[in-house]
């Protein structure tokens, strides 16, 4: 008789599948949640496209490899979230946040890409530890409120580290017994998905910046289409939920450029 995995593992999978169905139904019934998922998918699609291209140099390849990690983080967090593992889904977000901040460092100081790649453990701890990266970004940007540190600490306390506060993500919204295993909770789904979308937007913006050419001279039609798709979705999402103006005139300009390129090649 062929060996089989224990039945309980199949039963666990069946439970996860049922919860995922509840999660998808809740997302599709709420325009806000659906907007979050559309943004996350656009970011993942953008990273997938540009991370698979031939890198122009080892610096760009470094960004692509980090992009692959962020893609996996986004996929894993979304999967865990929709299957009812809210605490673990949120813990994965801390990894995305660390890479987003690291990309922010590289964006402001491109020479740091090589230094980070070639660093030993001591150098990474001295220069590139998350707290050191946040300190650099806050000082560079002139931010004194320490909001990056507050956001990072939230994911540490409630998700990545074993703390008493973290049990809030393992029990139903409003209180109740801690649940061992997956469960459906609309409040937790909404809260974690919002954080996932925010980090996806930040990750997409930084990642895109390492690959963008001048849009007005760029003749890479497929690349422009992928880039523009993420740009539009992110811009509209940020305008709707963050109050940041979306540059529709710029979008119209690039759309015309794309149409002209396609007409020229027809």
């Amino acid at each position: 008789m062929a060996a089989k995995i224990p039945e309980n593992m199949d039963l666990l999978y069946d439970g996860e599948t049922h919860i995922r169905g509840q999660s998808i139904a809740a997302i599709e019934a709420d325009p806000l949640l659906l907007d979050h998922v559309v943004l996350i998918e656009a970011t993942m699609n953008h990273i997938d496209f540009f991370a698979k291209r031939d890198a122009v140099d080892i610096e760009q390849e470094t960004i692509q490899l980090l992009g692959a990690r962020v893609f996996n983080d986004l996929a894993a967090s979304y999967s865990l979230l929709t299957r009812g593992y809210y605490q673990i889904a949120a813990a994965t977000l801390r990894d995305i946040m660390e890479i987003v901040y690291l990309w922010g460092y590289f964006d402001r100081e491109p020479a740091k890409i090589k230094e980070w790649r070639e660093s030993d453990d001591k150098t990474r701890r001295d220069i590139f530890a998350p707290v050191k990266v946040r300190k650099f970004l806050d000082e560079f940007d002139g931010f004194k409120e320490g909001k990056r540190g507050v956001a990072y600490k939230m994911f540490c306390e409630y998700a990545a580290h074993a703390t008493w506060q973290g049990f809030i993500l393992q029990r139903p919204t409003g209180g109740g017994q801690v649940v061992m295993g997956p469960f459906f909770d609309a409040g937790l789904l909404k809260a974690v998905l919002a954080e996932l979308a925010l980090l996806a937007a930040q990750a997409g913006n930084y990642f895109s910046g390492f690959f963008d050419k001048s849009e007005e001279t760029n003749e890479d039609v497929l690349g422009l289409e992928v880039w523009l798709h993420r740009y539009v979705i992110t811009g509209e999402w940020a305008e709707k939920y963050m109050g940041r103006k979306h540059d529709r005139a710029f979008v119209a300009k690039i759309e015309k450029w794309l149409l002209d390129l396609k007409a020229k090649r027809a």
Side-chain angles (χ1 to χ4, degrees):
M1 183 176 178
K4 298 182 66 175
I5 66 169
E7 182 184 9
N8 279 339
M9 294 303 185
D10 282 332
L11 293 174
L12 180 62
Y13 175 78
D14 290 343
E16 293 170 353
T17 302
H18 176 70
I19 291 168
R20 185 181 185 278
Q22 292 178 289
S23 298
I24 298 305
I27 291 169
E28 293 180 339
D30 187 332
L32 181 149
L33 300 184
L34 192 56
D35 282 348
H36 291 344
V37 176
V38 169
L39 168 66
I40 294 163
E41 187 275 339
T43 299
M44 293 174 68
N45 184 60
H46 184 276
I47 292 174
D48 177 69
F49 180 86
F50 286 99
K52 290 178 178 177
R53 290 193 148 186
D54 293 335
V56 298
D57 52 34
I58 187 64
E59 269 62 46
Q60 193 176 79
E61 182 181 359
T62 302
I63 301 301
Q64 288 175 314
L65 292 171
L66 287 168
R69 178 168 176 145
V70 168
F71 180 98
N72 291 344
D73 281 341
L74 290 168
S77 184
Y78 177 75
S79 177
L80 289 163
L81 174 61
T82 54
R83 290 186 290 126
Y85 295 102
Y86 306 105
Q87 180 257 319
I88 300 300
T92 307
L93 299 187
R94 194 184 71 161
D95 193 62
I96 301 174
M97 178 175 282
E98 288 185 358
I99 297 174
V100 164
Y101 290 165
L102 190 62
W103 277 342
Y105 200 170
F106 295 163
D107 177 66
R108 292 159 178 80
E109 296 282 352
K112 293 295 181 181
I113 300 176
K114 181 177 186 293
E115 185 177 350
W116 174 82
R117 186 179 61 253
E118 297 178 352
S119 63
D120 57 19
D121 182 67
K122 183 179 185 303
T123 303
R124 280 194 301 274
R125 290 176 180 274
D126 289 345
I127 300 176
F128 299 105
V131 64
K132 300 295 180 65
V133 173
R134 296 195 306 272
K135 183 174 185 292
F136 167 84
L137 292 174
D138 284 346
E139 290 179 352
F140 188 97
D141 295 338
F143 294 162
K144 302 183 183 302
E145 301 87 354
K147 291 181 179 179
R148 290 184 176 100
V150 172
Y152 188 82
K153 182 179 179 182
M154 177 185 72
F155 285 116
C156 290
E157 287 193 354
Y158 286 94
H161 295 169
T163 67
W164 183 261
Q165 294 90 332
F167 291 127
I168 194 172
L169 294 177
Q170 292 180 252
R171 56 166 51 98
T173 301
Q177 293 294 317
V178 164
V179 179
M180 188 181 303
F183 64 103
F184 175 74
D185 185 274
L188 293 177
L189 173 68
K190 184 174 183 178
V192 179
L193 189 57
E195 297 293 339
L196 179 56
L198 178 59
L199 283 167
Q202 295 172 348
N205 286 339
Y206 272 126
F207 182 82
S208 177
F210 293 105
F211 295 88
D212 288 349
K213 301 175 183 177
S214 174
E215 292 80 11
E216 297 174 27
T217 59
N218 188 353
E219 296 192 0
D220 176 9
V221 172
L222 186 55
L224 271 173
E225 287 179 332
V226 173
W227 175 88
L228 186 61
H229 177 68
R230 185 208 65 84
Y231 182 87
V232 169
I233 287 177
T234 304
E236 291 178 348
W237 180 91
E239 184 175 73
K240 190 173 182 179
Y241 299 110
M242 306 291 292
R244 298 174 183 171
K245 184 174 176 56
H246 178 44
D247 193 346
R248 289 177 173 79
F250 175 72
V251 170
K253 187 176 183 180
I254 302 305
E255 288 175 338
K256 183 180 183 305
W257 174 246
L258 266 172
L259 288 174
D260 290 345
L261 281 177
K262 290 178 180 180
K264 187 166 63 174
R265 297 183 182 186

